[in-house]
Amino acid sequence: MFSNFALNHAWLIPLLPAIAFVVISFLLRGAKKTAAATAITMSLISFALAVGVGVAVAIGQITVENPFISRVTWFEMSGLHVDMGVFIDPTSAMMLFVVTLVSLLVQIYSIGYMHGDPGFTRFFAYLSLFAASMLGLVIAVNFVQMFVFWELVGLCSYLLIGYYFFKISAREAAKKAFMTTRIGDFGLLLGILFLQVTFGTLDFQALGTKIPAYVQQNGTAFLTVVAILIFIGPVGKSGQFPLHVWLPDAMEGPTPVSALIHAATMVVAGVYLVARAFVLFDALPEAMTVVAWVGAFTAFFAATIALTQREIKRILAYSTVSQLGYMMLALGVGSLTASMFHLMTHAFFKALLFLGAGSVLHAMHDKADIFLMGGLRKKMPVTFAAMGIGVLAIAGIPPFAGFFSKDEILAAAAAASTPLYLIATVTAFMTAFYMSRMFFTAFFGEPDDPHDHPHESGPAMLIALVVLGVFSVIGGWLPYQYHFGDWVRFGAAHHGGIDISIAGISTILSVVAISLAWIIYGAKTIPAASLKARFALLYQLSYNKFYIDEMYQWLNHTIVDGCGRILYWVDINIVDGIVNGLGNGTNLAGKFLRRGQTGQLQHYALVFFGGIIIFLLLSMSADSFITALTRVGGMH
């Protein structure tokens, strides 16, 4: 049976894209069509295996509490045993499906988008390695294996964000992403080391047994610190405040990269890590509170910035930061179900939105400002329909995918904390508004430049848009019908059906937000310029991203560089002064002592005789010395 084969050979899912990377990099550098075909074929096989794994989990007895695990020893030494293997439960099965599907569609889309690019084969090699790294992270059996692939994901994002390395902005964005996420990874590594020292293992299954017993016996204080250290890693990787600053700049890479990073790989890795380590966080209420409030604040904060941005991909980037905050909020209030459900639906509609934006940019010759577009619905009907579906899905309009997963998060937040629920609800309103603002401005009205003649994208790009559009419509309803929540539930927060009052309020607010956006940016009944003038201060704060980047720049130039200058002075004048002083002292002593080395035998004999006299005098007792002096005096 194929599902059993797929389950027992799940290690092939990350291996096949990795093979594609090696083959393309070393054997197919100049063969564009063959390179693309190799990458897509390997991704297609991985996707088929991921579907088989999902079927095996659905029809079998594999649950979050009873996963399928296959492992082999990687290395072993005294006090440390590390395996490599496969960890399959409903959560990882869902992630395998999402990552392979989105990766496959992005690669198909890239055939059209990257046509004619001189780095075509390099691009497909990087995409394959990116997918392999994320898939290896998903099936990891322990923190060591996860951390290895975690760092590979970071490397791939660096390579792809800086794909146009001849552009200064792309190079700087790649470095910014790499350095910002290093801050988070340092905290994650410290947390992993503390877990190893405390429990003697980093295996997820073993930790699931040992952590509850440790908490019962020793309390939560120490493990809360460890959990927060681990959470710093996802804060960096998943763009949570205050380490969110790299994510909008990641738009410097090609648009298919943006879709892959934001929908299925880099940024969701942090959410998935918290979900995989949920047995740790679930036992620590204080750590869960930190996760919930960081997620809620990030969701709200990023949404306020997205309200005023002008570049289409930058709007989508801040939307991703906000939606990732939603996922963290769900985890923080104890609902693994809601978080993973939203991760899945978000992958569908966010990939759709980014690839739709890529189609627009392709037609507009990379004009990214939405206010330089207009009237695109007439020239690009398929892209228009796809973007419309994506906007309705992220706005949470039923029956589109985002409605069901957003309802789960709002219901979980309402059950845990009224302030968190209110923040999430206001964020949902802003999300519907700024996404509709982007949509109405770009696709309605009249073209800003009548000399522009945009046209619909080619078949390869449209295939990906159509498939993702279908998933953005049914991707929430079907899992809800087949009890997705019961399938992946963990802890106290279970799937409990739609809360009519919560869903009704959020839907009404989304409809109001869409209507308001139409009045301002579609029908233009209320001039946007007048609102901008009336709320000039708030507009400037939002448009300039609350000057967080400038604050970091000041911090680096003033504090970090200032400390560096102080340490440099200490190094030159004190550390080097001591070392050089010792050397100079030794040199001076050598020059002084060298004067006694004359090479004359009689001189050496005199020194030798004098030394003997001094030795005899020192060896005599004080009384003997005085007696000798007295005798010498008596002789006179």
Side-chain angles (χ1 to χ4, degrees):
M1 190 175 181
F2 179 71
S3 59
N4 289 332
F5 173 85
L7 184 64
N8 289 287
H9 293 81
W11 50 272
L12 287 171
I13 298 175
L15 180 62
L16 292 174
I19 292 174
F21 164 74
V22 174
V23 171
I24 294 170
S25 298
F26 293 100
L27 302 177
L28 302 174
R29 290 185 179 181
K32 293 185 177 180
K33 292 183 179 179
T34 307
T38 301
I40 292 172
T41 300
M42 291 301 191
S43 292
L44 181 60
I45 298 172
S46 290
F47 173 67
L49 289 170
V51 172
V53 169
V55 172
V57 172
I59 66 177
Q61 299 298 318
I62 299 174
T63 64
V64 172
E65 294 83 2
N66 183 37
F68 169 85
I69 299 176
S70 175
R71 57 164 68 95
V72 295
T73 299
W74 184 20
F75 67 86
E76 188 174 8
M77 58 185 292
S78 179
L80 181 62
H81 178 92
V82 179
D83 294 327
M84 292 284 279
V86 175
F87 188 106
I88 300 296
D89 67 354
T91 303
S92 58
M94 179 274 293
M95 287 293 296
L96 290 176
F97 173 80
V98 168
V99 175
T100 53
L101 174 64
V102 174
S103 298
L104 175 62
L105 293 174
V106 165
Q107 288 177 340
I108 294 173
Y109 179 94
S110 298
I111 294 175
Y113 190 89
M114 300 299 291
H115 178 73
D117 190 281
F120 188 89
T121 56
R122 174 168 60 93
F123 183 76
F124 275 87
Y126 287 168
L127 287 184
S128 296
L129 182 61
F130 208 173
S133 302
M134 185 64 192
L135 292 167
L137 184 153
V138 167
I139 64 172
V141 296
N142 55 55
F143 272 110
V144 175
Q145 182 181 347
M146 177 173 278
F147 190 76
V148 169
F149 287 105
W150 177 276
E151 292 302 310
L152 272 176
V153 166
L155 171 64
C156 293
S157 67
Y158 170 80
L159 295 173
L160 285 166
I161 294 169
Y163 176 79
Y164 298 122
F165 54 83
F166 49 85
K167 293 172 56 179
I168 294 177
S169 58
R171 297 200 300 267
E172 292 302 314
K175 289 191 293 184
K176 186 176 183 180
F178 193 79
M179 294 174 67
T180 304
T181 53
R182 293 287 71 73
I183 297 172
D185 292 355
F186 178 70
L188 173 61
L189 184 58
L190 283 179
I192 290 174
L193 292 174
F194 278 129
L195 285 179
Q196 172 63 35
V197 171
T198 304
F199 298 105
T201 182
L202 295 172
D203 184 84
F204 292 132
Q205 190 178 41
L207 288 173
T209 302
K210 292 185 176 185
I211 287 173
Y214 178 93
V215 170
Q216 187 175 7
Q217 182 176 356
N218 300 285
T220 62
F222 174 70
L223 282 188
T224 297
V225 176
V226 174
I228 292 174
L229 285 173
I230 289 176
F231 179 59
I232 294 175
V235 166
K237 211 70 148 189
S238 293
Q240 300 296 285
F241 182 88
L243 300 182
H244 65 285
V245 291
W246 70 269
L247 197 49
D249 290 345
M251 300 301 99
E252 290 292 337
T255 300
V257 172
S258 303
L260 195 58
I261 288 176
H262 287 252
T265 52
M266 176 80 169
V267 297
V268 297
V271 177
Y272 180 73
L273 186 147
V274 177
R276 177 53 67 221
F278 198 69
V279 66
L280 171 65
F281 288 91
D282 192 50
L284 307 167
E286 294 83 1
M288 293 283 279
T289 300
V290 171
V291 173
W293 278 100
V294 168
F297 180 80
T298 301
F300 179 84
F301 180 76
T304 62
I305 295 176
L307 289 171
T308 59
Q309 299 306 301
R310 298 174 62 97
E311 295 183 13
I312 188 169
K313 286 173 62 177
R314 192 168 290 272
I315 295 170
L316 295 178
Y318 279 106
S319 168
T320 298
V321 175
S322 183
Q323 297 301 305
L324 291 167
Y326 255 112
M327 298 174 206
M328 289 297 187
L329 166 61
L331 290 170
V333 297
S335 182
L336 178 65
T337 299
S339 181
M340 292 298 100
F341 194 7
H342 197 61
L343 186 153
M344 181 181 69
T345 61
H346 176 265
F348 299 147
F349 58 69
K350 186 51 62 72
L352 174 65
L353 287 166
F354 264 109
L355 295 185
S359 181
V360 170
L361 293 173
H362 197 261
M364 296 295 295
H365 306 290
D366 292 326
K367 286 184 180 179
D369 191 333
I370 59 174
F371 292 96
L372 298 180
M373 301 176 188
L376 294 180
R377 74 184 189 282
K378 301 175 182 178
K379 303 293 181 66
M380 308 177 68
V382 178
T383 301
F384 166 70
M387 291 290 283
I389 291 172
V391 169
L392 291 172
I394 196 172
I397 301 298
F400 297 92
F403 166 76
F404 296 94
S405 57
K406 185 187 71 172
D407 172 71
E408 290 274 2
I409 294 176
L410 292 176
S417 168
T418 299
L420 289 175
Y421 166 70
L422 293 176
I423 292 172
T425 302
V426 173
T427 301
F429 174 85
M430 290 191 292
T431 301
F433 178 82
Y434 67 70
M435 293 302 298
S436 300
R437 167 183 176 266
M438 177 198 74
F439 182 68
F440 294 142
T441 303
F443 288 94
F444 288 81
E446 297 299 324
D448 180 76
D449 186 351
H451 299 290
D452 282 336
H453 298 287
H455 57 82
E456 189 61 272
S457 301
M461 298 169 68
L462 295 183
I463 288 172
L465 291 178
V466 170
V467 174
L468 287 169
V470 171
F471 275 100
S472 296
V473 174
I474 67 173
W477 179 77
L478 281 180
Y480 176 80
Q481 286 294 105
Y482 290 96
H483 304 292
F484 174 90
D486 293 333
W487 197 46
V488 303
R489 68 171 181 260
F490 183 93
H494 293 175
H495 177 84
I498 293 177
D499 187 310
I500 299 299
S501 61
I502 290 176
I505 291 172
S506 66
T507 302
I508 291 172
L509 288 175
S510 294
V511 171
V512 170
I514 294 171
S515 303
L516 183 61
W518 171 256
I519 291 171
I520 299 172
Y521 299 100
K524 299 183 180 180
T525 305
I526 301 176
S530 64
L531 293 175
K532 177 180 175 181
R534 180 175 296 181
F535 302 102
L537 177 60
L538 293 177
Y539 178 88
Q540 289 299 323
L541 287 173
S542 172
Y543 183 73
N544 291 286
K545 301 160 286 186
F546 293 92
Y547 299 96
I548 299 295
D549 287 279
E550 288 77 5
M551 289 171 60
Y552 280 147
Q553 190 173 28
W554 177 86
L555 182 68
N556 286 331
H557 289 173
T558 305
I559 306 300
V560 177
D561 290 354
C563 291
R565 286 190 290 269
I566 293 172
L567 293 174
Y568 177 78
W569 184 88
V570 171
D571 180 60
I572 294 298
N573 294 281
I574 297 180
V575 177
D576 285 358
I578 293 173
V579 174
N580 293 337
L582 291 173
N584 292 333
T586 303
N587 188 36
L588 290 173
K591 288 181 180 180
F592 176 77
L593 294 173
R594 189 166 60 242
R595 296 180 181 276
Q597 309 298 316
T598 62
Q600 297 178 4
L601 183 61
Q602 61 271 29
H603 183 214
Y604 293 157
L606 179 62
V607 171
F608 180 73
F609 179 74
I612 293 174
I613 297 298
I614 292 173
F615 175 75
L616 290 174
L617 291 174
L618 292 176
S619 63
M620 294 172 61
S621 64
D623 294 338
S624 299
F625 183 68
I626 293 172
T627 302
L629 289 177
T630 303
R631 289 178 179 177
V632 171
M635 290 174 63
H636 292 289

